[in-house]
Amino acid sequence: MTEVAHDYETLLVDDDEGVRTITLHRPPRNEFTWQLGGELNQAFAAAEADDSVRVVIVTGSGDFFCAGAALGRQRDGSGASAAGQRPSADAPRIKPWEMSTPIIGAINGPAVGVGLTLPLQWDIRIAAEDAKMGLVFIRRGWIPELGAHWLLPRLVGMSNAMDLLLTGRIFTGAEAAEMGLVSQALPAADVLPAALDKAHQIAGKCAPVSVALSKRLAWQMLEETDHAAAQATDGELYRWTTQQPDSREGVSSFLEKRTPQWTMSKTGDLPPDFG
C-alpha cells in the first residue's frame, strides 16, 4: 500500500491499485468525535472525486473499529454529544448511498453506537466474528441515528431490527452475519484481507460506470414501490450501458481472455440523472 498525503488528524489513508483504505485512528478505541466525522466526510468526498479510486474500505486501527461516540459532559449534564465542536448544519455532507464509489466496512473489532450506524450506510460489511456490536442508544436515553430505523429493517427484517433497536443489547459479528447485517464474519486478523480481496475484485474486474450505476440503483430501488417502474428504469440504463465503450471492451476482453482496460469515468461519464 502507498500512504496518501493528507491533513487528517484522526484518519490514516492508503492506496493500493484502485483501492483506498481509510483507517479510523483515535487510539485506543477509535471513539467518534465531530472532528473524526468531518474528516471521514472529507475523505469520502476526495475518494469520490478521484477516478483512480475504485473502491473505499473503512477499518479501525488496533483492536477496535469504533467504540461509539467520545462522550463529553455538557453544561446541561447530558453528556450526549461527541467531543469537539459540532459542524454547522450548513456544512456540505456527502451521502454514502449517493456515491458512485462502493464502500466496504472492514469491522475489525468492537462497533458500538455510531460505530455501527455509520457502516449501516455503506455497501458491504465484513466483521470480526467475535466483535462486540450494538445499537446501545436506547440504554443512554437516546435513539439510534443516521437513518438506522429506515436501514435496519431492510437489512435484517423487522423482527430482528426490533430486537436490536429496542433492547440495545450487545451481539457478536457472528450473530450479525446470521442476521444478514454483515455479509461475512471472520477471525479478526482476516477481516481486512477479505475486504481488500473483495475490493480488488471490483477494482480489477468490473467496469467503473457499471459499478456506480448498480450501486446507486440498488439504493434508489429501496424507495421504489412500483415493480414495473423499477424494471423500466433498469431496462433503460441497461440499454444505455450496452452502447458505451466499456461494453465493447468488456465483451472483447472476455473473448480474448485478457484483463479489461476500462476507459470510462465514474465522475465524468455517468448518464445525466446520475451525474
Side-chain angles (χ1 to χ4, degrees):
M1 288 191 181
T2 302
E3 185 175 355
V4 177
H6 58 77
D7 296 325
Y8 309 134
E9 296 180 4
T10 64
L11 306 176
L12 306 175
V13 184
D14 297 278
D15 279 356
D16 181 27
E17 297 181 346
V19 177
R20 176 160 294 176
T21 300
I22 300 170
T23 303
L24 310 181
H25 186 61
R26 289 194 73 249
R29 291 156 46 92
N30 300 325
E31 291 174 317
F32 179 91
T33 62
W34 294 122
Q35 180 185 14
L36 186 150
E39 291 184 352
L40 185 60
N41 185 66
Q42 293 172 36
F44 280 168
E48 179 73 348
D50 188 340
D51 271 328
S52 72
V53 179
R54 297 289 317 284
V55 185
V56 169
I57 294 173
V58 183
T59 193
S61 63
D63 295 329
F64 280 76
F65 178 72
C66 176
L71 302 183
R73 182 65 57 184
Q74 304 301 299
R75 289 183 178 179
D76 62 3
S78 69
S81 63
Q85 181 161 350
R86 186 170 189 149
S88 165
D90 297 328
R93 180 172 178 81
I94 195 163
K95 298 175 181 176
W97 57 92
E98 292 182 352
M99 289 173 60
S100 296
T101 312
I103 306 173
I104 300 176
I107 303 171
N108 55 303
V112 179
V114 69
L116 185 53
T117 55
L118 274 172
L120 290 183
Q121 300 181 321
W122 305 339
D123 305 301
I124 301 171
R125 288 162 296 280
I126 301 172
E129 56 195 6
D130 61 350
K132 293 181 178 180
M133 309 173 78
L135 297 164
V136 298
F137 302 85
I138 207 160
R139 298 190 177 199
R140 308 290 181 266
W142 318 326
I143 62 168
E145 29 66 283
L146 298 181
H149 297 87
W150 188 87
L151 286 163
L152 200 61
R154 287 165 169 79
L155 290 170
V156 301
M158 182 60 81
S159 181
N160 284 327
M162 288 301 223
D163 174 21
L164 301 182
L165 289 167
L166 300 184
T167 68
R169 68 181 178 86
I170 297 295
F171 54 96
T172 65
E175 186 179 353
E178 291 174 2
M179 288 187 288
L181 183 58
V182 302
S183 59
Q184 290 177 274
L186 303 168
D190 296 338
V191 169
L192 182 56
L196 285 164
D197 178 69
K198 198 173 294 290
H200 282 299
Q201 289 183 47
I202 297 170
K205 298 181 179 180
C206 304
V209 169
S210 297
V211 168
L213 289 176
S214 282
K215 167 186 166 153
R216 292 173 65 173
L217 274 175
W219 281 99
Q220 178 180 314
M221 292 306 174
L222 289 176
E223 301 182 66
E224 178 58 74
T225 59
D226 186 328
H227 185 188
Q231 187 162 324
T233 299
D234 279 352
E236 181 180 348
L237 286 168
Y238 168 78
R239 287 188 290 276
W240 182 88
T241 59
T242 64
Q243 299 166 11
Q244 305 308 309
D246 277 355
S247 173
R248 294 188 288 274
E249 172 60 12
V251 173
S252 297
S253 62
F254 172 75
L255 295 175
E256 296 166 11
K257 296 181 171 56
R258 60 175 174 80
T259 301
Q261 301 297 315
W262 311 116
T263 58
M264 296 180 70
S265 160
K266 69 174 186 179
T267 60
D269 293 325
L270 294 177
D273 288 346
F274 289 85

